C-alpha cells in the first residue's frame, strides 16, 4: 500500500473530529498558564524590584503559591454554564511554565462563554479531610504542594512572600492565607470562544495584593499573617486576591 493510501484514513478521522470548519466537535482541551506580573511588568522571583505607586514600597517577590479549585465556565449573564467538579491545581508562580499551568482535558463543552470562575482554596470538606488520601501527584496531595498546616489546620490557600524596601530598610513580608472563611471566588468576565482547543494566559497581578479593595502597607497594615490574630490582615489580602487575575491572551 502506498504511503498516501495509508494516510487517508487518518485524514478522514481528523476531519470527523475537528470538522470542516476547523472547529472541534467533541469536548475541548483548555490549558491555562498563569503569568506573574506587577502592574503589567513581568515578575522575576528573587530578582526584579517593583515600586508601588501607592504604598511607596519597593517589592521583591520570593514566593506566591496558590491552590485553585472548582473551575467552571460562565455564560453571558455570569451564571455557571459548564462546571468541572473536583478540578484542582497547584500553581507555583516562581516555577517554570509547567508549574504555572492548569490543563483541563476533554471536560469543556465547545461553545462561546462569558468568562471563567475558580476558587482560591479547597472547599470545607477537602480542607478538613485527610490529606493523605489524595493520590500521588494530585494537586491537593501535601507532598505536591507543601501547603498544609496539619490535620487540624487544613490547607494554606495562598502563600505570598517577599521583601519590601522602605526608607527605614528592607524587611520580609509573609502572608499565608487559609481557613474556610478565606476561601474566595474569582470571576474573570470576558467573552471567550472555546469552540476548539485553547491556550489561555492569565495575568496574576501581584500589585493588586497591596492595592486592591484594600490598601495594604506592610509596615503599617502588617507584614505577617497565618490567618489568625492579625487584626483582619488575612481577610484584606483575601479580598485583594479576588481582583488580581485577568485574561491576557487566548490562542
Amino acid at each position: 500500500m502506498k504511503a498516501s493510501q495509508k494516510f487517508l484514513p487518518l485524514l478522514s478521522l481528523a476531519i470527523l473530529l475537528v470538522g470542516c470548519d476547523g472547529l472541534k466537535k467533541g469536548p475541548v482541551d483548555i490549558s491555562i498558564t498563569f503569568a506573574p506580573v506587577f502592574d503589567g511588568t513581568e515578575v522575576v522571583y528573587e530578582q526584579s524590584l517593583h515600586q508601588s505607586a501607592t504604598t511607596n514600597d519597593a517589592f521583591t517577590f520570593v514566593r506566591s503559591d496558590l491552590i485553585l479549585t472548582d473551575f467552571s465556565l460562565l455564560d453571558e449573564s455570569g451564571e455557571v454554564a459548564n462546571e468541572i467538579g473536583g478540578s484542582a491545581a497547584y500553581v507555583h508562580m516562581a516555577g517554570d511554565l509547567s508549574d504555572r499551568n492548569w490543563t483541563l482535558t476533554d471536560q469543556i463543552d465547545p461553545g462561546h462563554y462569558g468568562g471563567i470562575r475558580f476558587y482560591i482554596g479547597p472547599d470545607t470538606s477537602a480542607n478538613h479531610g485527610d490529606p493523605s488520601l489524595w493520590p500521588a501527584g494530585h494537586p491537593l496531595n501535601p507532598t505536591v504542594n507543601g501547603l498544609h498546616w496539619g490535620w487540624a489546620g487544613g490547607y494554606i490557600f495562598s502563600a505570598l512572600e517577599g521583601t519590601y524596601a522602605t526608607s527605614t530598610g528592607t524587611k520580609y513580608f509573609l502572608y499565608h492565607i487559609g481557613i474556610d472563611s478565606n476561601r474566595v471566588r474569582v470571576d474573570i468576565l470576558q467573552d471567550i470562544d472555546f469552540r476548539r482547543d485553547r491556550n489561555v494566559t492569565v495575568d496574576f497581578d501581584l500589585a493588586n495584593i497591596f492595592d486592591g479593595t484594600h490598601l495594604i502597607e506592610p509596615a503599617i497594615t502588617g507584614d505577617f499573617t497565618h490567618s489568625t490574630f492579625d487584626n483582619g490582615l488575612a481577610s484584606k489580602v483575601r479580598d485583594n486576591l479576588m481582583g488580581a487575575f485577568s485574561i491576557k491572551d487566548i490562542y
Side-chain angles (χ1 to χ4, degrees):
M1 182 182 293
K2 296 181 179 179
S4 59
Q5 292 176 311
K6 292 180 182 179
F7 179 70
L8 285 175
L10 296 176
L11 178 61
S12 300
L13 177 60
I15 292 173
L16 287 173
L17 290 175
V18 178
C20 296
D21 54 4
L23 304 177
K24 197 170 180 180
K25 301 305 180 183
V28 298
D29 299 345
I30 304 300
S31 179
I32 301 175
T33 300
F34 294 88
V37 298
F38 190 97
D39 279 339
T41 301
E42 179 187 5
V43 169
V44 180
Y45 286 83
E46 301 187 46
Q47 296 183 43
S48 56
L49 187 68
H50 303 273
Q51 183 72 42
S52 171
T54 52
T55 71
N56 294 318
D57 295 307
F59 295 100
T60 296
F61 296 92
V62 173
R63 182 186 188 190
S64 52
D65 291 355
L66 305 171
I67 292 179
L68 308 180
T69 63
D70 295 336
F71 179 89
S72 57
L73 288 165
L74 308 175
D75 61 22
E76 294 180 353
S77 64
E79 299 298 320
V80 174
N82 194 156
E83 183 176 6
I84 311 301
S87 53
Y90 163 56
V91 182
H92 175 50
M93 292 286 180
D96 58 25
L97 288 177
S98 63
D99 295 319
R100 297 186 275 112
N101 179 265
W102 188 5
T103 300
L104 300 111
T105 303
D106 286 338
Q107 300 182 78
I108 305 297
D109 297 328
H112 282 277
Y113 294 92
I116 64 176
R117 171 179 294 173
F118 53 83
Y119 289 80
I120 303 177
D123 62 21
T124 300
S125 177
N127 194 33
H128 297 289
D130 183 352
S132 67
L133 296 179
W134 296 105
H138 192 279
L140 294 181
N141 188 313
T143 62
V144 172
N145 57 60
L147 293 173
H148 201 277
W149 272 317
W151 184 263
Y155 288 91
I156 302 168
F157 306 159
S158 58
L160 312 166
E161 302 176 26
T163 63
Y164 64 102
T166 68
S167 58
T168 59
T170 300
K171 299 180 180 179
Y172 201 86
F173 72 86
L174 183 150
Y175 301 148
H176 286 187
I177 312 303
I179 305 177
D180 293 334
S181 60
N182 288 324
R183 186 186 193 233
V184 69
R185 190 184 84 194
V186 175
D187 286 357
I188 307 176
L189 301 179
Q190 179 175 321
D191 181 61
I192 305 171
D193 180 359
F194 278 162
R195 291 179 297 164
R196 59 182 176 84
D197 295 346
R198 290 289 198 180
N199 295 291
V200 182
T201 302
V202 172
D203 276 352
F204 176 52
D205 196 338
L206 290 155
N208 212 83
I209 294 171
F210 304 96
D211 186 14
T213 303
H214 309 280
L215 180 63
I216 296 176
E217 300 176 84
I220 300 171
T221 317
D223 58 13
F224 178 88
T225 180
H226 274 165
S227 299
T228 56
F229 307 108
D230 61 1
N231 294 316
L233 177 58
S235 63
K236 292 177 181 178
V237 175
R238 172 203 67 197
D239 292 346
N240 284 358
L241 282 170
M242 292 177 64
F245 300 87
S246 62
I247 294 176
K248 179 181 181 180
D249 192 21
I250 302 175
Y251 58 97

